[in-house]
Amino acid sequence: MAIKLNERKVGDVTVIDCEGRIVFGDESITLRDKVKAILANSRQIVLNLAAVNYIDSGGIGILVSLFTSARNLGGDIKLANLTKRVGDLLQITKLLTVFDVFDDEQHAVNAFKKESTKSGTVSLPGNV
C-alpha cells in the first residue's frame, strides 16, 4: 500500500497525516520529498502517525534523516499518535530518546508554542 500524506496547518505548525507504511522505496521517498518541501517554508512539523501500521529500517532511516535536516535548519519534527507497533519499534531502536513523541497531535503542536516562548530573548538591565 502506498503511503498517503495529507498536509495541513495548525497555527504556525504544519501537520502531516501519514497513512500506510513507511518502508524503503517509494513510500519513504514520498515522505522525504514532502517534508523537505515543507522545510523550505516551515520549521515546525508534526508527523501524525496514527494510521501508520508498519515502518521498516528504510523508514526509520528516513525519519532520522528528516529530523536531522529539520534541526540543521533550526526547526524540529515531532511525532504524534504512535500506534503500539510503531511505538515499540522506536523504543527498541532507542529513537524514543531522540524524537519528541506525543500521545496526541494537540500536545505536539502545543510543545512548539512552549518552545517559542522559552526561546524569546530577555533584555537585561544595562544591555542594549
Side-chain angles (χ1 to χ4, degrees):
M1 172 184 181
I3 191 166
K4 294 178 186 174
L5 304 173
N6 180 46
E7 171 190 347
R8 56 194 167 84
K9 294 290 271 186
V10 178
D12 294 333
V13 179
T14 302
V15 176
I16 303 173
D17 298 311
C18 304
E19 180 181 346
R21 300 163 22 118
I22 303 174
V23 296
F24 182 79
D26 291 341
E27 289 85 356
S28 57
I29 291 169
T30 300
L31 178 60
R32 180 197 67 203
D33 291 348
K34 177 68 135 181
V35 172
K36 294 252 183 181
I38 292 168
L39 282 172
N41 301 311
S42 175
R43 301 290 188 260
Q44 300 177 330
I45 298 173
V46 172
L47 294 180
N48 179 1
L49 302 179
V52 171
N53 52 25
Y54 184 76
I55 299 178
D56 72 359
S57 60
I60 291 288
I62 286 295
L63 291 178
V64 171
S65 173
L66 293 172
F67 175 81
T68 302
S69 295
R71 285 288 176 99
N72 287 341
L73 292 169
D76 199 4
I77 294 177
K78 300 186 185 305
L79 306 179
N81 295 317
L82 303 184
T83 62
K84 178 167 179 16
R85 186 175 199 166
V86 171
D88 289 348
L89 176 64
L90 292 179
Q91 184 173 4
I92 290 167
T93 59
K94 306 287 187 213
L95 288 174
L96 284 180
T97 62
V98 175
F99 288 100
D100 290 332
V101 177
F102 297 88
D103 290 336
D104 61 65
E105 176 185 310
Q106 192 58 52
H107 283 99
V109 169
N110 290 344
F112 280 115
K113 293 176 188 172
K114 290 177 186 174
E115 288 172 6
S116 67
T117 58
K118 275 198 261 179
S119 65
T121 57
V122 176
S123 179
L124 299 174
N127 289 349
V128 179

